[in-house]
Amino acid sequence: MDIKTASIQDVKDISRIQASSWKTAYKGIIPQEYLDNLKDDFWVPAFEKWISDHTITSKLIYEGDKAIGCIAYGKSRDSSLPDWGEIVSIYVLPEYFGRGYGKQLLESAINDMHCQGFENIYLWVLEDNTRAHKFYKKHGFLESEDRITCEISGKELIDFRFIHHIEK
C-alpha cells in the first residue's frame, strides 16, 4: 500500500474513484437517477483546475499498482474560516470499504495540514450519510452547528460541517 500525491495525469483515476464511490455510498441519499447517470469523468475538469492552480492537494492510495482511493484537501474555501484547512473529498472504491484505506488517507491529509501550519480543519458530510458520520467521529471530528443545503436532481440535501482540532 502506497499513498502518493496526485498529478494532472491522475485526474481520471480520481474522478473514476469518486463516481464509483458515490454510486454506492449515496444510494438512497442522492436521487438514483442522478447516480445512474453519473459519469466516471465528471470531476476531471475540477481536479485539473485545482491541481494545476495548486489550490487543492490530492493524494491517491494504491493497492499494488491500482489506485483505490483518493483524498483532496487544502486551505479553507470558506471565507469565514480563512485560517482553517479543509478536506474537500475522500473516497475509496466500494470493494475496499471498511479496510482502513480511508483512515490512512485521512491521517496523511491531517499530517500534511499540520505541517502546513493549520490548527483546525473541517469537512462537510451529508446529513443522511450515517456511515461517514461514524467514520469522522471515530477519527476525532466533531459535528458543528453549521449546515448548508444543496440540491441535486430536485432533492434538497443538507450538509453538516464536522471540525477537527489538530494537536500540536
Side-chain angles (χ1 to χ4, degrees), residues 119-152:
E119 294 181 14
N120 298 293
I121 59 175
Y122 72 90
L123 51 82
W124 293 100
V125 181
L126 286 171
E127 175 183 32
D128 295 332
N129 191 348
T130 55
R131 180 186 182 116
H133 285 245
K134 290 176 189 173
F135 174 79
Y136 293 118
K137 287 176 181 177
K138 180 179 177 180
H139 296 291
F141 283 79
L142 302 172
E143 184 181 318
S144 76
E145 298 296 318
D146 297 338
R147 307 285 187 263
I148 57 171
T149 59
C150 65
E151 186 178 306
I152 296 180

Side-chain angles (χ1 to χ4, degrees), residues 3 5 7 26 33 38 41 52 59 63 65 84 88 96-97 103 106 109 121 124 126 128 137 146 151 165 168:
I3 297 176
T5 301
S7 70
Y26 298 143
E33 178 185 358
L38 185 59
D41 63 355
S52 65
K59 289 187 172 184
E63 186 170 83
D65 61 355
W84 286 55
V88 176
Y96 294 93
F97 284 3
K103 174 186 178 191
L106 185 63
I121 59 175
W124 293 100
L126 286 171
D128 295 332
K137 287 176 181 177
D146 297 338
E151 186 178 306
H165 178 72
K168 288 192 174 196

Side-chain angles (χ1 to χ4, degrees), residues 88-108:
V88 176
S89 64
I90 178 172
Y91 293 102
V92 175
L93 291 173
E95 59 268 31
Y96 294 93
F97 284 3
R99 295 190 192 178
Y101 293 108
K103 174 186 178 191
Q104 291 176 41
L105 284 167
L106 185 63
E107 288 174 351
S108 177

